[in-house]
Each structure stands twice: as C-alpha cells, then as structure tokens.
C-alpha cells in the first residue's frame, strides 16, 4: 500500500519529487490537501468585496495578534513584543534572501499562508486573507475602503509631516505623499511599531545591518502617495505583468518599471512606496497592516500567471540572494526556504501551487 501511495503522489505532483524521496511524512499528506475542489478551496477576496463586518473581523484579528505573546526569545530579539512582531522579525531575518531574488514569490506565498493560518488558529478569525487590488484605487487612495480612515478600513493617512522629503532615483523624482506623520484614525490609530528603520541602500548589504532586532518603539506612520500608485500600480502595468511570456519578464515588471534593469519601481515597489515610510522599509514593512494585503495582490497575480499553462506553474529564475549576484545559488524546486519560529523549512516546490500542499485557496 505504501508503494501505491508513493507512486500516486509522484504522479499527483507532476514528477516534482521522486518516489525514493517520499518519506512517511510525505505519504501522510492527505489527498484532500493535494486535490482542491469547490468544497475545500478558500477564496481570498478583494478588500472592497468584503462586507463591513468582515473587514472589521479581519482588523480585529490583526489587533488580536498584537496582543498575543511572542514566540521568539526576548533576549535575542529585543524588538519583538508580540505575535505580529514574530512575523516582522522573520521577514527581517530573511530579507537578504527573499527580495529581488528567485525566492521572492514562493517565500512570500508561504509567509502569507502562515499569517492567515495564525489569524484563524490563534485569534479566531473565520475568514481568509483579503487582498488590495491596486488599480481600483490608484488615482485616489484616500477614497478607497482600505485607507478611508473608517472603522472598517486599514486606517488611512498620517498627520501631515512638513519634514517628509521627495525621493530621487536615477532620472525620476518621486514627490512626497500627503501625510508622513503618525496615523490617528481607524482601527490602527496610535499603533506603536517596534523595529527598524533600516537603511535603503540595498547594494551595501551582505549581512543583516543595524539596527537588526533592536527595540525602537515609535508611532506607525503613513503618507498616501497617489503619484506612485497611479504611475506604478495601474491597470496598464498589471496587464503588462500578466502578459509576460516567461518568468524573467514577469519578475522584471514586478520589480522594475519601466521594464528594464534601470527601471524605478515595479508593481511590488509601487505598493510599498504608495503608503510611506513604514511600508517602504524593506526589512520591517510587515509592521504596516497593509503589507499582507499588498502581497496578497502579488500572489494573486502570480497565481493567475502560473495558471495560464503548465510550463509556468513551476517556472523559476534567479538565486537565493538579494539582487541575484553572480555568486548566488540558483533557485530550484528542491531548495529549502527558512521561516524561523513560524514553521519548519519548506522546499520551493511546496510553494509553487496554491491548490496543493494544503494551501487550497484561490482569488476572486
């Protein structure tokens, strides 16, 4: 019987693993987890599709995570003060491996799933992870149900900070946003964040830089920036992303726009830079409650692109190091991804299909 299930799982996984590599643990993966139908597939919805009470349920679960005790040891991670911070610190710890690299998409897919699972298991959340459909609100972020400062939003803009500066990159200047100060409205008003900020000069990083995991309490800030969202997260660029014919083209539009190595911001950076300093911090950006919804949209677009044909489902490109240096190790389906205290290591192959390995989710 074991031999039958080994052969069955090899076929089910499209040859991703060999029969010899299947352990008893692999065999114990239930068929329900391997095959998703309407009866067991979760549907992640756009924030605006949710009823008001459903949005509040989600933000209440996030607030609950901020009240739960951390799992990481305080003596090693002094900036970790609650369960949400476990996720922030994990993101910090692996930033130099999982950004602008071949691990970006699969690592963040599993990271989001772990967050969704924690909300449900630890804070009684009955829904699934929503996503932020950028083009719907790219012209006017304040008008969106995500950032309108209502009690069913993710809070909104910060107070106006006259010291916020425009940002220059190459030949492009990104004007400052409309806020820049502390967020004083919505469910996350007066929220305190605990780690960062980190330097933005990515080219200088070979190991985790200061401040590391130091405790640095300060207010949660936002600065809504319609210039960024309308230029880098609009429908035209999203369509260009989905029209990519190979994974390297897909990654180019994701990380750089215009779609060339000297581009300024791709759709990924566009979302981060649309909301100001907290979300702009590459290392500690999960401190902004919008982070998970922003990456939910990225995962949605990746899963849509993957589903176009079988050749795209397991397409990989890049290394396991930020900016894909020549000495980086090429990513394969067998490469292990680390999640620290959040979960056991997972292979890249396990994260390549949102309808497999127990994920069983889709997007509206």
């Amino acid at each position: 019987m074991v031999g039958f299930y080994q052969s069955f799982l090899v076929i089910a996984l499209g040859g991703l693993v060999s029969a010899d590599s299947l352990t008893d643990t692999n065999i114990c993966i239930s068929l329900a987890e391997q095959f998703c139908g309407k009866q067991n597939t979760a549907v992640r919805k756009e924030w605006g599709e949710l009823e008001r009470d459903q949005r509040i349920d989600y933000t209440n679960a996030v607030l609950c995570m901020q009240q739960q005790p951390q799992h990481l040891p305080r003596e090693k991670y002094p900036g970790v003060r609650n369960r949400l911070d476990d996720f922030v610190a994990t993101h910090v710890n692996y930033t130099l491996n999982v950004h602008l690299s071949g691990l970006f998409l699969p690592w963040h897919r599993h990271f989001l799933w772990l967050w969704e699972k924690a909300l449900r298991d630890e804070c009684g959340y009955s829904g699934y992870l929503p996503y932020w459909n950028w083009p719907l609100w790219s012209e006017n972020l304040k008008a969106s149900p995500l950032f309108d400062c209502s009690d069913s939003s993710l809070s909104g803009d910060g107070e106006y900070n006259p010291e916020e500066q425009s940002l220059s990159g190459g030949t492009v200047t990104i004007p400052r946003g409309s806020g820049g100060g502390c967020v004083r409205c919505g469910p996350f008003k007066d929220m305190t964040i605990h780690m960062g900020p980190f330097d933005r000069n990515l080219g200088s990083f070979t190991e985790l830089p200061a401040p590391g995991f130091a405790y640095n309490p300060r207010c949660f800030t936002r600065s809504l920036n319609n210039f960024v969202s309308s230029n880098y997260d609009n429908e035209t660029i999203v369509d260009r992303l989905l029209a990519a014919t190979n994974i390297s083209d897909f990654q180019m539009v994701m990380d750089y726009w215009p779609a060339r190595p000297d581009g300024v911001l791709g759709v990924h950076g566009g979302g981060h830079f649309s909301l100001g300093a907290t979300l702009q911090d590459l290392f500690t950006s999960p401190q902004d409650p919008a982070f998970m919804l922003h990456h939910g949209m990225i995962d949605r677009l990746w899963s849509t692109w993957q589903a176009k044909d079988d050749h795209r489902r397991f397409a990989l490109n890049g290394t396991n190091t930020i900016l894909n240096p020549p000495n980086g190790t090429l990513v394969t389906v067998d490469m292990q991804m680390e999640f620290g205290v959040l979960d056991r290591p997972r292979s890249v192959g396990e994260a390549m299909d949102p309808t497999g390995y127990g994920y069983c989710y889709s997007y509206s």
Side-chain angles (χ1 to χ4, degrees):
M1 185 63 72
V2 169
F4 169 79
Y5 281 114
Q6 284 181 321
S7 300
F8 190 83
L9 288 173
V10 170
I11 294 170
L13 294 173
L16 180 62
V17 296
S18 66
D20 291 340
S21 70
L22 290 171
T23 64
D24 291 341
T25 300
N26 297 133
I27 295 167
C28 288
I29 298 174
S30 71
L31 297 182
E33 290 179 326
Q34 292 300 323
F35 298 99
C36 300
K38 289 183 179 180
Q39 74 282 0
N40 65 331
T41 297
V43 179
R44 294 177 175 179
K45 296 183 178 181
E46 200 276 328
W47 187 255
E49 292 181 297
L50 300 178
E51 299 292 336
R52 177 178 174 275
D53 288 349
Q54 292 174 317
R55 297 177 205 161
I56 293 174
D57 285 345
Y58 179 80
T59 56
N60 281 343
V62 178
L63 292 169
C64 165
M65 290 289 280
Q66 296 177 11
Q67 300 300 316
Q68 300 302 308
Q70 77 276 5
H71 292 184
L72 287 166
R74 183 71 55 80
E75 59 273 14
K76 186 176 180 180
Y77 299 89
V80 175
R81 300 286 157 150
N82 55 48
R83 190 72 173 110
L84 167 62
D85 286 344
D86 282 336
F87 283 81
V88 177
T90 299
H91 191 266
V92 169
N93 217 13
Y94 300 109
T95 282
L96 297 180
N97 301 108
V98 302
H99 294 90
L100 298 165
S101 75
L103 290 179
F104 172 72
L105 293 167
W107 190 90
H108 281 85
R109 170 171 285 171
H110 193 65
F111 185 69
L112 294 186
W113 183 80
L114 291 173
W115 172 251
E116 180 183 77
K117 186 175 187 298
L119 292 177
R120 292 171 59 82
D121 292 350
E122 300 172 34
C123 284
Y125 179 54
S126 60
Y128 297 96
L129 181 70
Y131 65 92
W132 164 20
N133 192 344
W134 319 303
L136 293 180
W137 320 105
S138 62
E139 298 291 334
N140 188 354
L141 291 166
K142 286 184 179 180
S144 77
L146 293 110
F147 308 118
D148 65 4
C149 269
S150 66
D151 62 354
S152 60
S153 71
L154 299 178
S155 290
D157 210 357
E159 296 177 321
Y160 182 76
N161 177 10
E163 296 182 2
E164 183 181 11
Q165 302 293 314
S166 298
L167 300 174
S168 295
T171 60
V172 175
T173 296
I174 297 175
R176 58 155 294 150
S178 55
C182 302
V183 173
R184 301 297 190 194
C185 60
F188 302 106
K189 64 181 179 181
D190 303 321
M191 187 177 91
T192 300
I193 60 178
H194 302 139
M195 284 175 277
F198 283 80
D199 193 316
R200 292 178 179 169
N201 185 14
L202 299 181
S204 67
F205 296 152
T206 56
E207 59 184 26
L208 184 63
F213 303 103
Y215 180 49
N216 181 29
R218 60 200 187 282
C219 73
F220 161 47
T221 66
R222 280 240 184 91
S223 189
L224 301 187
N225 195 316
N226 292 330
F227 173 87
V228 174
S229 59
S230 62
N231 279 281
Y232 299 105
D233 282 321
N234 58 51
E235 192 64 53
T236 299
I237 301 176
V238 167
D239 290 345
R240 173 69 181 85
L241 182 78
L242 293 176
T245 57
N246 54 63
I247 187 61
S248 59
D249 189 13
F250 185 90
Q251 290 168 320
M252 182 69 74
V253 182
M254 178 67 67
D255 290 325
Y256 305 101
W257 188 261
R260 56 178 188 263
D262 60 344
V264 181
L265 293 172
V267 293
H268 173 219
H272 281 272
F273 278 74
S274 291
L275 300 191
T278 301
L279 198 62
Q280 286 171 16
D281 190 322
L282 184 65
F283 290 83
T284 62
S285 48
Q287 292 182 124
D288 187 324
F291 173 93
M292 300 295 181
L293 281 75
H294 171 47
H295 276 267
M297 178 63 171
I298 291 171
D299 187 64
R300 173 178 180 255
L301 294 174
W302 184 36
S303 64
T304 300
W305 184 84
Q306 286 181 301
K308 288 188 174 184
D309 62 63
D310 290 339
H311 295 292
R312 297 182 182 183
R313 179 66 71 192
F314 294 101
L316 292 167
N317 175 65
T319 73
N320 64 346
T321 306
I322 193 168
L323 298 173
N324 291 314
N327 62 343
T329 303
L330 289 177
V331 170
T332 68
V333 292
D334 295 320
M335 179 175 282
Q336 295 292 300
M337 301 184 295
E338 301 287 339
F339 295 91
V341 71
L342 301 182
D343 195 14
R344 64 171 175 82
R346 299 278 180 163
S347 72
V348 170
E350 289 180 77
M352 296 301 287
D353 186 351
T355 65
Y357 281 95
Y359 292 144
C360 281
Y361 68 82
S362 63
Y363 289 94
S364 61

